[in-house]
Amino acid sequence: MKKIGTKIKETPDYLKREDFQKELLRKIGAIKNNVKLGGGEKAVARQRAKGKLTARERIDLLLDDPNEFYELSTFAAYDMYKEFGGAPSAGTIYGIGRIHKRYHVIVANDATVKAGAWFPMTAKKNLRAQEIASENRLPIIYLVDSAGVFLPLQDEIFPDKEHFGRVFRNNAKISAMGIPQIAAIMGPCVAGGAYLPIMSDEALIVERVGSVFLAGAHLVKAAIGEEIDNESLGGARVQSNISGVTDYIMKNDEECIAQIRSLTEKFGETNKAGFNRIESKPPAFDPKEIYGALPEDTLKPYDTYEVIARIVDESKIDEYKAGYGKTIITAYTRIDGWSVGIVANQRSVVKTEKGEMQVGGVIYSDSADKAARFIMNCNQKKIPLLFLQDVTGFMVGSKAEHGGIIKDGAKMVNAVANSVVPKITIIIGNSFGAGNYAMCGKAYDPRFIFAYPNAKIAVMGGSQANSVLLDIKLKQAEKSGKKFSEEEKKKLLDEITAAYDEKNNPVYAAARLWVDEIIDPAETRKYVSMAIEAANNNPDIPKFSTGVIQT
């Protein structure tokens, strides 16, 4: 193994870079704190007046240690549904945490946000939680407190494959896989939503506040003329003692949470994937120095080895094909003791053995070929893959095309797509075009995908995109006889740039679940370790095959 990294704190740009990254982190933190307020203080007060805990208080009680809860998709629906007053965190909280030392996926409706109603992004978020549970064979706990589908948007949530009904289909599939599901009805549970807890293995219901029925009292009267109140229709005692729909009656939220902990304590042990792990050793450099390793401008070059040196154990790697395909770094290493294969874009300008200079962050034929072979090796050896994305795309131009860049790029994409070991992706800078695909973007099924606060995700870089968009606008205007002065062109370019930049920042991506969470770069090791430990719970690793690859 070779040791990597230098004392970058002594470099002239370090403090400037560090300040820039910390300010980005502060801004992201401020947005996150605001999102975590849910429906606001008045809504929280109404929740407590009913004798109910908030969603986050319920989760905290359920966990061994609330400080070790990995909340995911916190920014879901951020700045969306503004015409309806917004839906912070899509009205649902989910993440991974330990209950009796074992990881569980926990999903909780936030009733302070539109009474826990389901928006389109709420469905997408719940489906992602179930996907994580099924891919990693993690037990899942549902804390249900929801008024059901948000009716003004019912056409965007009800009938399609990735809509509301898919949740219940997943309940059935997860159960068939032998993954435990426990649901607690801690508030309303209405209409189609009633199937979620009842399709779980066991269902608890809290007296006086919990209710479950296909149609509430108001709809029952409208449909069949029967007059009845919700408690008599589908309250705790009715559904537990008369219908037998629910399994446990609980006096309050606290007792309900205690009962869930008691049930989960008795789960049997399961087989593991057997990923290699030894004693964890810290990096030789402070992980917080990543702030000073990353540039203020994502288009500026920097040495990716310096980032890796602050993530991996002892800052040591076994680098694969170190002198070949230098715009991608491929290396075996350990993170928190776990064996990992790293595929990272090198952002420095590199010099080939032929004396040619290659632009950092660009994937060339040789680097694509190397990465594909390394990915195959990790699958052969059952080593999880970590992709560190800072990619501006594949090399273009006649030389690249004549050299078969499409063929070599396809080889890398094929290897990524067919990889069977867990893939974890972190966008540490740019994620542009087909580079996003080759470096295991969301479309390529990473078990988890995270982003740093400086991440940018788009079909191409801002300067290129803005130039193309401006040219289109000008040509459209010319067809109608309109001419632009240089000042008007500049104003139009500024407007295009602002609109484009708004859509390629990490909060925009996280709001739409293109990434699972925006993370503090200094906590990279913690998130990677959690992801591999979670993945280790799924012992079923299929045989690796790439199918047809052009050579």
Side-chain angles (χ1 to χ4, degrees):
M1 296 187 82
K2 70 175 182 180
K3 189 171 181 179
I4 57 172
T6 60
K7 296 179 180 179
I8 58 171
K9 290 185 81 169
E10 298 173 4
T11 59
D13 291 336
Y14 178 83
L15 291 177
K16 185 179 177 183
R17 288 178 166 188
E18 180 186 48
D19 286 346
F20 180 81
Q21 297 298 333
K22 283 184 175 180
E23 179 62 13
L24 279 182
L25 197 61
R26 185 196 66 76
K27 290 177 179 177
I28 295 289
I31 295 171
K32 182 180 284 190
N33 289 336
N34 193 49
V35 165
K36 286 185 175 182
L37 295 174
E41 292 180 4
K42 289 183 179 178
V44 170
R46 287 194 297 270
Q47 180 98 335
R48 292 200 173 120
K50 297 174 184 175
K52 295 160 66 174
L53 300 173
T54 66
R56 283 194 165 80
E57 288 170 341
R58 290 166 175 168
I59 292 171
D60 286 353
L61 266 183
L62 188 57
L63 296 168
D64 294 345
D65 183 353
N67 294 319
E68 292 185 3
F69 180 57
Y70 293 88
E71 185 173 348
L72 302 174
S73 303
T74 310
F75 299 94
Y78 179 77
D79 215 24
M80 298 171 68
Y81 311 123
K82 287 184 277 191
E83 66 272 36
F84 303 109
S89 220
T92 297
I93 299 157
Y94 89 91
I96 294 174
R98 294 187 194 276
I99 304 173
H100 299 297
K101 300 181 180 180
R102 179 182 294 186
Y103 275 146
H104 290 66
V105 173
I106 302 159
V107 185
N109 299 117
D110 185 353
T112 70
V113 179
K114 301 290 189 298
W118 285 56
F119 286 75
M121 288 305 301
T122 314
K124 188 173 182 179
K125 185 168 177 176
N126 276 266
L127 291 172
R128 178 59 180 148
Q130 289 181 319
E131 182 179 41
I132 288 172
S134 60
E135 283 185 337
N136 300 290
R137 300 293 197 274
L138 298 178
I140 184 165
I141 311 294
Y142 304 100
L143 305 179
V144 184
D145 191 351
S146 171
V149 168
F150 187 67
L151 286 177
L153 296 173
Q154 64 85 24
D155 60 315
E156 297 179 37
I157 189 174
F158 169 64
D160 211 345
K161 182 179 178 180
E162 300 302 328
H163 284 177
F164 194 49
R166 189 78 172 184
V167 173
F168 319 132
R169 175 264 189 196
N170 287 352
N171 283 137
K173 290 289 188 178
I174 290 170
S175 184
M177 293 165 70
I179 301 170
Q181 298 177 92
I182 293 178
I185 301 166
M186 310 178 84
C189 187
V190 185
Y195 287 105
L196 185 149
I198 309 312
M199 292 188 74
S200 298
D201 301 340
E202 294 182 277
L204 304 85
I205 186 166
V206 179
E207 283 185 310
R208 294 181 300 279
V209 295
S211 58
V212 56
F213 33 64
L214 293 182
H218 182 76
L219 187 55
V220 166
K221 184 178 180 180
I224 63 173
E226 180 184 1
E227 293 196 14
I228 190 170
D229 62 81
N230 283 340
E231 187 65 22
S232 301
L233 180 66
R237 297 208 169 272
V238 169
Q239 296 292 27
S240 295
N241 299 344
I242 298 175
S243 70
V245 166
T246 52
D247 307 308
Y248 305 88
I249 301 175
M250 300 289 108
K251 292 179 181 177
N252 51 44
D253 282 7
E254 290 84 354
E255 184 180 76
C256 187
I257 296 296
Q259 182 66 41
I260 295 172
R261 284 187 58 85
S262 181
L263 292 171
T264 55
E265 183 195 14
K266 298 168 181 66
F267 290 172
E269 289 297 321
T270 57
N271 295 329
K272 305 295 182 188
F275 301 127
N276 186 292
R277 191 182 197 185
I278 61 173
E279 182 185 354
S280 175
K281 295 180 181 177
F285 303 94
D286 186 346
K288 290 184 177 179
E289 290 180 10
I290 293 179
Y291 303 141
L294 297 167
E296 315 94 287
D297 182 346
T298 57
L299 294 178
K300 285 184 178 179
Y302 65 93
D303 190 353
T304 308
Y305 286 102
E306 298 294 355
V307 175
I308 296 172
R310 284 146 184 89
I311 294 173
V312 304
D313 290 11
E314 299 185 286
S315 302
K316 291 181 179 179
I317 61 174
D318 290 315
E319 188 166 8
Y320 174 78
K321 290 186 178 290
Y324 178 72
K326 292 182 179 181
T327 62
I328 288 183
I329 299 166
T330 50
Y332 304 106
T333 186
R334 291 190 182 274
I335 296 177
D336 195 27
W338 292 103
S339 172
V340 181
I342 287 183
V343 180
N345 301 110
Q346 169 60 299
R347 283 303 313 278
S348 286
V349 175
V350 298
K351 188 176 183 180
T352 69
E353 295 301 315
K354 296 178 181 179
E356 299 169 334
M357 304 304 290
Q358 292 185 341
V359 179
V362 176
I363 301 175
Y364 291 77
S365 283
D366 54 358
S367 49
D369 175 67
K370 177 176 81 168
R373 293 176 66 177
F374 180 74
I375 290 164
M376 294 179 202
N377 283 345
C378 287
N379 277 273
Q380 182 85 352
K381 299 170 184 177
K382 205 164 80 169
I383 298 174
L385 284 158
L386 172 63
F387 292 84
L388 298 178
Q389 275 199 24
D390 192 346
V391 57
T392 53
F394 284 88
M395 191 58 191
V396 297
S398 60
K399 185 175 181 181
E401 296 293 355
H402 297 172
I405 185 66
I406 296 175
K407 177 183 67 178
D408 291 316
K411 189 188 304 181
M412 182 177 175
V413 169
N414 191 313
V416 172
N418 285 297
S419 180
V420 295
V421 295
K423 297 170 289 191
I424 302 145
T425 300
I426 305 179
I427 302 170
I428 67 172
N430 303 304
S431 181
F432 296 157
N436 170 282
Y437 305 154
M439 290 296 293
C440 198
K442 187 67 184 289
Y444 286 77
D445 298 322
R447 290 287 180 94
F448 297 91
I449 179 167
F450 305 114
Y452 284 178
N454 64 321
K456 293 183 183 296
I457 305 167
V459 72
M460 65 178 72
S463 58
Q464 301 97 313
N466 297 336
S467 176
V468 171
L469 290 168
L470 177 63
D471 189 51
I472 292 170
K473 289 269 189 185
L474 293 176
K475 285 180 178 177
Q476 287 174 339
E478 285 173 6
K479 287 180 180 179
S480 59
K482 182 175 174 59
K483 297 284 185 181
F484 285 91
S485 67
E486 289 304 313
E487 186 178 336
E488 286 173 326
K489 286 180 183 178
K490 184 181 182 306
K491 184 182 177 182
L492 185 58
L493 180 61
D494 288 343
E495 290 172 358
I496 291 169
T497 300
Y500 195 82
D501 288 347
E502 181 188 350
K503 293 182 179 180
N504 70 10
N505 73 72
V507 176
Y508 188 91
R512 288 152 184 81
L513 272 60
W514 301 345
V515 297
D516 290 319
E517 192 68 6
I518 303 170
I519 67 171
D520 180 344
E523 295 186 338
T524 301
R525 281 171 56 84
K526 187 174 79 168
Y527 276 88
V528 172
S529 181
M530 177 277 290
I532 299 175
E533 184 176 344
N536 196 43
N537 285 279
N538 184 353
D540 298 330
I541 300 177
K543 183 180 177 182
F544 175 65
S545 174
T546 59
V548 176
I549 290 184
Q550 292 190 40
T551 58

